[in-house]
């Protein structure tokens, strides 16, 4: 088995594309970031870390990192790949903030990282990946979807700050201002709002193009406006719009600690695919 570091996303996807696309929903995060790296190689100011492991005939696992973010781990088809991927990441970075990936491989990677580095590893967020091919739009929800406009930047940044604090349990490496600006500058991404009585009441993002789909998220409604169906209607309308534009699938991630979101997305047509955990490493 051979580990290969790839200089650019084009080379990485040429080698790993079939492996990733065979489980497109499970790998939608890696595929989505990879597609954007083809256009923006220095997405966060420095080259991405792109690695495959396999033999001459097949790839059995990959990792990706866009510093300063977490390492992203793929599905792993041969458990012997995990020590190779870990040792290479350790040699390149020394330390990592964390790893995100499918439940079993991520746990194995995290436990081995703790054992070999002495860092403390703990699960921070347990997520579930969902996929929709069809959607059922809720009826009788007041308001309508509209596209983001420059005048929405202040509220979008404020709501993104609130989303990060509530759902991600701490600050992200990228500021909310940068996230909003990057999302709206990306031709494959964007933000939309649900507006009721002339006022924005909910927000959703989309991005991360894959061969046949795209990812929705984040989705945020301020606490005092919840329970009125805004997020369900917004997500359903956005999903329908993206499917109508030619995507075969839409994907999204939910926090398993939030039973409301897991219920409402299934109600509008999303189906669970796999569980994904975010592990945090600390000294």
């Amino acid at each position: 088995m051979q580990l290969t570091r790839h200089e650019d996303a084009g080379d990485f996807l040429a080698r790993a594309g079939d492996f990733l696309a065979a489980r497109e929903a499970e790998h939608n995060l890696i595929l989505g970031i990879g597609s954007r790296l083809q256009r923006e190689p220095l997405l966060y100011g420095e080259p991405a870390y792109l690695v495959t492991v396999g033999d001459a005939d097949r790839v059995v696992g990959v990792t990706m990192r866009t510093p300063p973010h977490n390492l992203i781990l793929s599905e792993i088809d041969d458990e012997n790949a995990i020590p190779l991927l870990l040792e290479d990441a350790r040699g390149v970075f020394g330390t990592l903030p964390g790893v995100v990936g499918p439940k079993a491989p991520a746990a194995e990677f995290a436990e081995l990282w703790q054992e070999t580095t002495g860092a403390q590893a703990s699960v921070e967020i347990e997520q579930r990946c969902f996929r929709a091919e069809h959607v059922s739009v809720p009826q009788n929800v007041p308001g309508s979807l509209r596209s983001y406009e420059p005048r929405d930047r202040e509220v979008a940044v404020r709501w993104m700050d609130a989303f990060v604090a509530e759902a991600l349990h701490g600050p992200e490496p990228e500021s909310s201002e940068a996230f909003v600006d990057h999302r709206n500058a990306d031709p494959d991404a964007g933000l939309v709002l649900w507006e009721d009585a002339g006022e924005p009441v909910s927000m959703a993002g989309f991005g991360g193009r894959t061969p046949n789909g795209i990812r929705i998220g984040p989705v945020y409604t301020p606490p005092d406006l919840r329970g009125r169906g805004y997020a369900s209607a917004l997500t359903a309308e956005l999903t329908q719009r993206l499917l109508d534009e030619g995507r075969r699938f839409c994907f999204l991630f939910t926090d398993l600690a939030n039973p409301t979101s897991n219920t409402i997305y299934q109600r509008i047509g999303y189906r669970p695919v796999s569980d994904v955990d975010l592990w945090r490493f600390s000294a």
Side-chain angles (χ1 to χ4, degrees), residues 170-193:
E172 285 286 276
E174 183 181 36
S175 71
S176 294
E177 291 87 350
F179 173 86
V180 169
D181 293 343
H182 285 157
R183 186 57 64 98
N184 284 291
D186 184 345
D188 290 328
L191 294 169
V192 296
L193 299 163

Side-chain angles (χ1 to χ4, degrees), residues 30-54:
I30 294 175
L31 285 164
I33 295 173
S35 69
R36 188 169 178 191
L37 286 170
Q38 289 185 290
R39 298 192 313 274
E40 299 180 64
L42 302 179
L43 183 56
Y44 295 104
E46 59 181 282
Y49 173 74
L50 305 163
V51 170
T52 58
V53 170

Side-chain angles (χ1 to χ4, degrees), residues 156-207:
V157 169
R158 185 170 71 250
W159 284 357
M160 190 62 200
D161 281 339
F163 172 83
V164 169
E166 178 180 333
L168 303 183
H169 313 295
E172 285 286 276
E174 183 181 36
S175 71
S176 294
E177 291 87 350
F179 173 86
V180 169
D181 293 343
H182 285 157
R183 186 57 64 98
N184 284 291
D186 184 345
D188 290 328
L191 294 169
V192 296
L193 299 163
W194 192 264
E195 188 172 82
D196 184 16
E199 295 295 328
V201 294
S202 189
M203 177 179 76
F206 63 94

Side-chain angles (χ1 to χ4, degrees), residues 200-236:
V201 294
S202 189
M203 177 179 76
F206 63 94
R209 176 175 53 84
T210 69
N212 299 290
I214 198 163
R215 184 175 65 258
I216 289 178
V219 179
Y220 181 78
T221 305
D224 61 329
L225 296 172
R226 293 175 188 171
R228 307 181 191 187
Y230 294 142
S232 296
L234 175 57
T235 304

Side-chain angles (χ1 to χ4, degrees), residues 132-141 144-146 192-194 202-206 214 216-219 221 229-245 249-252 261 263-270:
E133 299 179 60
H134 310 282
V135 71
S136 176
V137 178
Q139 302 300 307
N140 303 317
V141 177
S144 59
L145 179 149
R146 69 166 174 82
V192 296
L193 299 163
W194 192 264
S202 189
M203 177 179 76
F206 63 94
I214 198 163
I216 289 178
V219 179
T221 305
Y230 294 142
S232 296
L234 175 57
T235 304
E237 291 273 12
L238 175 58
T239 301
Q240 189 62 62
R241 174 188 286 189
L242 294 169
L243 293 173
D244 288 346
E245 290 174 354
F249 310 115
C250 286
F251 313 108
L252 56 77
S261 66
T263 298
I264 67 172
Y265 294 134
Q266 291 184 79
R267 191 176 297 143
I268 63 175
Y270 278 85

Side-chain angles (χ1 to χ4, degrees), residues 50-211:
L50 305 163
V51 170
T52 58
V53 170
D55 56 30
D57 298 322
R58 63 178 187 142
V59 172
V60 299
V62 313
T63 55
M64 164 190 284
R65 187 181 183 216
T66 53
H69 295 82
N70 296 309
L71 189 77
I72 305 172
L73 186 67
S74 73
E75 296 282 352
I76 301 295
D77 290 343
D78 185 330
E79 63 181 15
N80 294 313
I82 291 179
L84 294 176
L85 293 167
L86 184 146
E87 284 306 316
D88 194 69
R90 185 182 180 192
V92 171
F93 297 113
T95 62
L96 290 171
V99 64
V100 60
K103 181 174 281 291
E108 186 174 346
F109 185 100
E111 290 161 8
L112 186 58
W113 185 269
Q114 179 172 274
E115 177 184 321
T116 58
T117 69
Q120 295 298 307
S122 59
V123 176
E124 184 165 293
I125 306 176
E126 293 179 298
Q127 299 173 298
R128 182 158 290 158
C129 173
F130 287 81
R131 175 182 62 210
E133 299 179 60
H134 310 282
V135 71
S136 176
V137 178
Q139 302 300 307
N140 303 317
V141 177
S144 59
L145 179 149
R146 69 166 174 82
S147 297
Y148 172 94
E149 299 173 1
R151 63 188 172 96
D152 298 314
R153 187 175 186 272
E154 181 180 351
V155 71
V157 169
R158 185 170 71 250
W159 284 357
M160 190 62 200
D161 281 339
F163 172 83
V164 169
E166 178 180 333
L168 303 183
H169 313 295
E172 285 286 276
E174 183 181 36
S175 71
S176 294
E177 291 87 350
F179 173 86
V180 169
D181 293 343
H182 285 157
R183 186 57 64 98
N184 284 291
D186 184 345
D188 290 328
L191 294 169
V192 296
L193 299 163
W194 192 264
E195 188 172 82
D196 184 16
E199 295 295 328
V201 294
S202 189
M203 177 179 76
F206 63 94
R209 176 175 53 84
T210 69

